Amino acid sequence: MRLLITGSPGAGKGTQGTRLAAHFGIPHLSSGDLLRKIVASGDGAVAQSARAISDGKMVSDETANALMLGELDKPEAANGFVLDGYPRTLSQAQTLTAFLAGRGEKLDAVVALEVSEVAVIERLGNRITCPQCGETYHALVSPPKVVGVCDECGYAGLTVRPDDLPERITVRLRLYTERTEPILGYYREQNLLTPVNAEGTENDVFARIVAALKKVAPL
Ligand code: AMP
């Protein structure tokens, strides 16, 4: 199964992408997680990416393409993948299509998570993240068992992502509308778009995605 999960910041791409990958036994390739790992590794060449990410802006198409096509080239991704956060611009989407076509492949489905702006601001404004393993928590709905400590990896330094600060959420939502939303039309024209209501509980949304995929991309 070759899947793309897309949607605005805070739509739940990371959470649902992780679950879908486990469900189908394929890797979850999150461009945001990969970029944050590279930045944390302290590579001087990526200082510019670091600034873009914490400001809520986007890295260049060249950087995103090189990173993600490199991941898709790995043997782990040979039998399927869940892409999350890439492509994020029309140009990236076209690059991905050409890359996959070069191997005689195409995406099976594009899951577009739909969530209101009010819900996004509420979710991101309450999001706490583990800088070590990337696990996320909602401060009110699903807090960690011990304050400040990650349930998943035990790291005792849960934090608010710099791009989840209110003024940066606004930047990210604007960029989503201007630069990422056009990919929805691109995939709709190719009959790949599967919109899913992403409001409600994590379990409800996951069940909706799996049910929608059964119809459009049965295994
Ligand atoms: P995310 O975890 O998907 O919200 O991504 C976090 C940040 O990483 C974004 O706000 C961008 O700065 C950067 N980023 C992730 N994926 C891409 C991409 N495909 N193109 C450009 N920038 C990206």
Side-chain angles (χ1 to χ4, degrees), residues 9 13 30-33 35-36 49 52-54 56-61 64 68 84-89 92 127 161 163 172:
K13 301 184 295 293
S30 156
S31 51
D33 284 352
L35 282 164
R36 278 185 289 278
S49 306
I53 295 170
S54 45
K57 298 188 184 135
M58 288 167 63
V59 305
S60 70
D61 284 341
M68 298 309 285
D84 155 6
Y86 175 88
R88 224 179 181 93
T89 64
Q92 291 178 19
R127 182 156 78 174
R161 263 171 53 176
D163 56 339
R172 289 163 69 202

Side-chain angles (χ1 to χ4, degrees), residues 12-84:
K13 301 184 295 293
T15 305
Q16 300 297 340
T18 306
R19 289 187 65 163
L20 282 171
H23 182 80
F24 291 115
I26 50 182
H28 172 222
L29 303 178
S30 156
S31 51
D33 284 352
L34 288 163
L35 282 164
R36 278 185 289 278
K37 267 191 205 137
I38 295 172
V39 167
S41 75
D43 178 351
V46 293
Q48 217 176 332
S49 306
R51 211 168 309 127
I53 295 170
S54 45
D55 284 352
K57 298 188 184 135
M58 288 167 63
V59 305
S60 70
D61 284 341
E62 291 71 23
T63 301
N65 287 331
L67 175 71
M68 298 309 285
L69 300 188
E71 290 299 312
L72 289 171
D73 247 345
K74 292 183 179 169
E76 299 88 293
N79 296 319
F81 47 78
V82 181
L83 281 172
D84 155 6

Side-chain angles (χ1 to χ4, degrees), residues 137-180:
Y137 301 87
H138 186 290
L140 308 174
V141 177
S142 55
K145 292 193 185 89
V146 179
V147 177
V149 180
C150 182
D151 294 351
E152 285 300 310
C153 73
Y155 184 74
L158 294 180
T159 180
V160 173
R161 263 171 53 176
D163 56 339
D164 281 344
L165 294 171
E167 64 279 15
R168 297 186 184 149
I169 294 174
T170 313
V171 173
R172 289 163 69 202
L173 288 174
R174 182 174 50 74
L175 278 176
Y176 174 74
T177 308
E178 289 174 7
R179 304 208 52 204
T180 307

